[in-house]
Amino acid sequence: MNGAARAGTGVRPGGPDLAELLGRTADGDQEAFAALYDATAGPVYGLVLRVLRDPAQSEEVAQEVMLEVWRSAARYAPERGSVSAWVMTVAHRRAVDRVRAEQAATDRDDRTARAAATPPYDHVSEEVAVRLESEQVRRCLGSLTELQRQAVTLAYYQGYTYGEVAAFLAAPLGTVKTRLRDGLIRLRDCMGVDA
């Protein structure tokens, strides 16, 4: 048998006939798979390690490759290349899949971390803003008439209903509603809030 014919069949000079071992493996021959494993596991690990650059992950992926070779031995098509080329293609695909999976996991973790990160809260700025707004509300309340201020304070700051405000001020309900409406309009204008 010449060198080209031997390469196509998966026979290595001085080594086992990989095509024969793979064929027997496809039939469930565990001894044939053990021999195939011994002949290909080293090169598979080397290829996976070059892609992954992590010995622990490379060992894991190499084992997955060999398991896939065992499970899918019957799908090998000799016309598409040698057994060693087929095994190395399986190894390369598995290694690339692992890189992609690791990158996807890293990207997910990064997105989750960015989503969970809350922007720093500036307590001082918030407190200053609240105080300035409170001062503006007090100043604007001071611009209301006494009756408007009482009605707004009772209804909006002390939580009384319109009917309760009317009873408390001894005024008709319609008058209280008018005072509230007028008072709120003046407050809105004073605060610079658009209607």
Side-chain angles (χ1 to χ4, degrees), residues 8-11 16-24 36 76 78 83:
T9 62
V11 176
D17 181 345
L18 298 181
E20 177 192 338
L21 292 175
L22 189 62
R24 288 176 34 209
L36 180 64
Y76 167 69
V83 170

Side-chain angles (χ1 to χ4, degrees), residues 17 44 85 89 98 114 128 154 170:
D17 181 345
V44 164
T89 299
R98 176 62 65 97
R114 280 193 305 272
V128 168
L154 289 170

Side-chain angles (χ1 to χ4, degrees), residues 149-161:
R149 184 174 38 257
Q150 285 176 337
V152 169
T153 302
L154 289 170
Y156 292 99
Y157 291 102
Q158 295 181 8
Y160 290 108
T161 65

Side-chain angles (χ1 to χ4, degrees), residues 3 35 41 47 49 57 61 70-71 74 76 79 114 116 130 141 147 152 157 176:
L47 173 66
L49 182 60
Q57 280 195 33
V61 171
W70 167 259
R71 289 179 178 161
Y76 167 69
E79 65 277 359
R114 280 193 305 272
V130 167
L141 276 173
L147 297 174
V152 169
Y157 291 102
V176 167

Side-chain angles (χ1 to χ4, degrees), residues 134-145:
S134 296
E135 286 177 27
Q136 185 179 12
V137 168
R138 276 195 292 279
R139 182 178 48 77
C140 290
L141 276 173
S143 71
L144 301 179
T145 67

Side-chain angles (χ1 to χ4, degrees), residues 12-138:
R12 288 192 273 165
D17 181 345
L18 298 181
E20 177 192 338
L21 292 175
L22 189 62
R24 288 176 34 209
T25 298
D27 293 333
D29 185 337
Q30 293 180 3
E31 288 180 20
F33 177 70
L36 180 64
Y37 184 97
D38 290 341
T40 59
V44 164
Y45 175 76
L47 173 66
V48 171
L49 182 60
R50 280 193 302 276
V51 174
L52 296 180
R53 302 180 190 265
D54 178 340
Q57 280 195 33
S58 297
E59 287 178 20
E60 186 179 318
V61 171
Q63 290 301 316
E64 291 172 5
V65 168
M66 298 313 295
L67 183 60
E68 185 174 340
V69 167
W70 167 259
R71 289 179 178 161
S72 61
R75 285 188 259 155
Y76 167 69
E79 65 277 359
R80 297 182 74 191
S82 69
V83 170
S84 60
W86 177 72
V87 171
M88 297 307 271
T89 299
V90 170
H92 186 262
R93 286 181 183 157
R94 278 287 178 139
V96 169
D97 287 348
R98 176 62 65 97
V99 169
R100 289 179 179 151
E102 290 294 320
Q103 186 61 51
T106 300
D107 292 347
R108 262 191 319 276
D109 291 345
D110 289 347
R111 282 192 306 272
T112 301
R114 280 193 305 272
T118 55
Y121 184 71
D122 188 351
H123 292 284
V124 174
S125 294
E126 179 68 20
E127 190 173 322
V128 168
V130 167
R131 284 187 183 184
L132 288 173
E133 192 172 286
S134 296
E135 286 177 27
Q136 185 179 12
V137 168
R138 276 195 292 279

